[in-house]
Amino acid sequence: MRALRNAVIVIVAVLLVGVALAAYRAGGGDAAASIIGKKSLRIGVKSDQPRLGLRMWDGTFKGFDVDVATYVAGRLGVEPKDLTFVGLTSNEREEALDDGVVDMVFATYSITPERKEKVTFGGPYYVAHQDILVRAGNGSIRNVSDLRGKRLCKAAGSNSWRRVTEERKVDATLVPASTYSECVTALKEGRMDAVSTDDLILAGFAAANGSGTTMVKAPFTNEKYGVGLKKGDVAGCQAVNRYLTEMYQNGAAKTLLTEWFGSVDFAVGTSVPEFEGCT
């Protein structure tokens, strides 16, 4: 009888521990899921976006997003030598965070209500505006309304095409592509009439040598670039927001924006963005 009672006590104790652990993790208390205290970090960035996140011939990554990530990681106590950058496409970002493939994402990751259901966002660290890229010399597209009947790129995992066809009800012909670099290649080759997404992305492509493209400069949305964190990492989010504020206040953000976009015919914002709540 005593053995049976002891066995029951052990089973109940195990169940209670399991329930407590599940609640702890659900509340964001899983230490392994937080960026706080980590000695090394894996950071998801784009690999094909000039001046934002671009994989170089030697396997390193360069760009504004990469430098902002390095700055934030440094303030978290992680040195550059302990950072691993991972190239992600737009439709890989949520899964990479959820599966622990990366600890943070700095990849032109616009904050949306749908994404906030799956990801905790720090920032934004920059507010971009959706614009339009066309072939140089094309004067038929001057604003978003002119995309009606045009072949518009639909990049996998991106919401930019929805801003045109769903939010503004512009009846463009959507042409699917895997990435924005693929979109721009199709544009240059005449298989696409326009690419519409964030102005920082388009400015980087337009500034590339021999791009043969130009930005319309008719912005029509606000796109808040967030720092993607594993869902529930509120402490990590709050720390990221402190360091992003500092980055703007001490002039580091302006320095980085000037370095990457100062030579582009494009006006960048240098004031501290209004942060989203950490949830």
Side-chain angles (χ1 to χ4, degrees), residues 20 32-33 44 63 70 93 126 135 140 146 160 174 186 199-200 205 211 227-228 232 244 249 252 256 263 273:
T70 302
R93 294 174 295 200
Y126 189 79
R135 286 185 295 280
S140 67
D146 290 337
S160 295
L174 297 175
D199 49 14
L200 277 192
F205 282 118
S211 77
V227 180
L244 291 176
Q249 291 177 340
L256 292 177
S263 62

Side-chain angles (χ1 to χ4, degrees), residues 187-249:
L187 174 66
K188 291 191 290 186
E189 294 176 351
R191 294 180 283 113
M192 207 84 68
D193 297 312
V195 179
S196 182
T197 190
D198 312 338
D199 49 14
L200 277 192
I201 297 174
L202 299 181
F205 282 118
N209 290 333
S211 77
T213 64
T214 186
M215 196 159 64
V216 172
K217 298 180 185 176
F220 56 96
T221 69
N222 292 330
E223 302 297 331
K224 302 176 180 180
Y225 283 180
V227 180
L229 303 170
K230 193 172 181 67
K231 184 64 177 176
D233 188 8
V234 174
C237 173
Q238 291 170 341
V240 165
N241 286 351
R242 285 196 300 274
Y243 302 139
L244 291 176
T245 299
E246 171 191 279
M247 185 181 74
Y248 274 89
Q249 291 177 340

